[in-house]
């Protein structure tokens, strides 16, 4: 089935807006669990909010920035995978899916591409899809309704250049090879803020990632 949704901040009439516009999912960047403070009140708020969305047939995603972009541990540490799985299961127990972003910050040496990962000799094109697949499958085994969205660092193309020290085609092909097909992958068009999305560019991206992308319009 076609998916229509938006990414942003919640407001008082979010549900009414979503239903009126025939959306079936909403992704919230600020959320009750994004600080990693799993207090009883935050868990209650998340469960209550998810139930309101799910009761109306909408899927609710929370942004996982606190684990992927704001502060990131080395992917080469097994403890980091275990830590993410534990947190993701907490979110899944509340009835929410996860929006897993690596977009612009993935190759920042000060935060997300750590010294340990760089010293391993592996680049994100070697590691990311495999890592996220392990995370997803571990949570899915316990919570069958769990869903994920993924924004890779290469979320545009093919004509726009990029500053990253990695191979774009290799990275996108690793998604097709390793990432479960049911995980949505974000694409914004030829550029980050494309006003027009050409079919030829979409086919190029879809052919590399092995699925239809989720179109993201982040400028009007």
């Amino acid at each position: 089935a076609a998916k229509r949704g938006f990414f942003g901040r919640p407001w008082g009439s979010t549900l009414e807006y979503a239903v009126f516009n025939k959306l079936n999912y909403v992704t919230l960047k600020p959320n009750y669990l994004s600080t990693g403070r799993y207090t009883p009140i935050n868990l209650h708020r998340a469960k209550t909010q998810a139930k309101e969305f799910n009761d109306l047939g909408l899927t609710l995603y929370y942004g996982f920035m606190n684990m992927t972009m704001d502060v990131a541990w080395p992917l080469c540490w097994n403890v980091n995978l275990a830590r993410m799985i534990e947190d993701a299961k907490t979110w899944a127990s509340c009835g929410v899916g996860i929006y897993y972003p690596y977009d612009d910050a993935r190759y920042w040496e000060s935060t997300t591409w750590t010294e340990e990962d760089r010293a391993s000799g592996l680049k994100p094109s070697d590691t990311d899809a495999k890592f996220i697949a392990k995370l997803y499958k571990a949570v899915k085994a316990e919570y069958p309704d769990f869903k994920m969205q993924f924004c890779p660092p290469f979320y545009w193309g093919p004509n726009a250049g990029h500053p990253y020290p990695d191979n774009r085609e290799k990275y996108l092909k690793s998604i097709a090879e390793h990432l479960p097909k049911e995980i949505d992958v974000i694409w914004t068009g030829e550029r980050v803020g494309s006003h027009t999305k050409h079919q030829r560019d979409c086919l190029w991206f879809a052919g590399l990632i092995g699925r239809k992308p989720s179109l993201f319009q982040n400028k009007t």
Side-chain angles (χ1 to χ4, degrees):
K3 297 179 181 178
R4 285 170 49 87
F6 75 88
F7 171 84
R9 299 175 179 272
W11 64 93
S13 56
T14 300
L15 277 173
E16 181 181 6
Y17 172 86
V19 173
F20 181 81
N21 287 283
K22 296 185 168 88
L23 308 182
N24 49 28
Y25 79 83
V26 173
T27 303
L28 300 181
K29 178 178 181 179
N31 61 74
Y32 301 119
L33 305 181
S34 60
T35 61
R37 297 171 182 167
Y38 304 124
T39 61
I41 187 64
N42 281 348
L43 292 171
H44 173 73
R45 286 173 173 174
K47 290 177 182 178
T48 301
Q49 187 176 52
K51 186 176 187 305
E52 290 176 343
F53 279 77
N54 294 334
D55 284 351
L56 291 174
L58 286 91
T59 299
L60 179 64
Y61 295 92
Y62 280 174
F64 210 42
M65 281 79 165
N66 61 305
M67 299 295 290
T68 63
M69 292 173 65
D70 297 338
V71 178
W73 289 8
L75 293 195
C76 60
W77 290 1
N78 289 333
V79 67
N80 189 26
L81 177 60
R83 177 172 173 255
M84 280 200 185
I85 290 173
E86 181 181 359
D87 278 35
K89 285 183 177 180
T90 299
W91 293 33
S93 72
C94 294
V96 299
I98 283 178
Y99 169 69
Y100 191 110
Y102 261 158
D103 47 63
D104 304 304
R106 182 62 183 104
Y107 293 90
W108 291 355
E109 295 182 1
S110 60
T111 53
T112 45
W113 196 20
T114 66
E115 181 180 353
E116 292 85 353
D117 283 332
R118 284 181 278 119
S120 74
L122 298 175
K123 292 187 175 182
S125 58
D126 300 306
T127 60
D128 289 3
K130 296 176 183 178
F131 183 92
I132 297 168
K134 290 178 182 178
L135 168 67
Y136 175 77
K137 291 174 182 178
V139 180
K140 189 81 170 176
E142 189 169 334
Y143 297 94
D145 294 330
F146 176 65
K147 296 180 176 65
M148 278 188 71
Q149 298 171 315
F150 173 51
C151 184
F154 302 98
Y155 55 99
W156 64 86
N159 298 316
H162 68 82
Y164 305 139
D166 207 344
N167 184 287
R168 174 171 57 184
E169 283 72 17
K170 178 184 174 184
Y171 191 106
L172 296 176
K173 287 179 180 179
S174 73
I175 292 174
E177 184 177 357
H178 302 291
L179 204 69
K181 291 294 188 292
E182 61 268 26
I183 296 179
D184 289 333
V185 178
I186 302 298
W187 180 66
T188 63
E190 182 178 355
R191 292 179 174 81
V192 176
S194 299
H195 293 129
T196 302
K197 293 176 174 61
H198 298 286
Q199 184 183 41
R200 63 178 183 273
D201 297 336
C202 186
L203 291 174
W204 173 85
F205 193 82
L208 289 170
I209 66 172
R211 73 206 72 198
K212 293 182 180 179
S214 292
L215 302 183
F216 184 69
Q217 182 66 29
N218 60 348
K219 288 186 179 180
T220 57

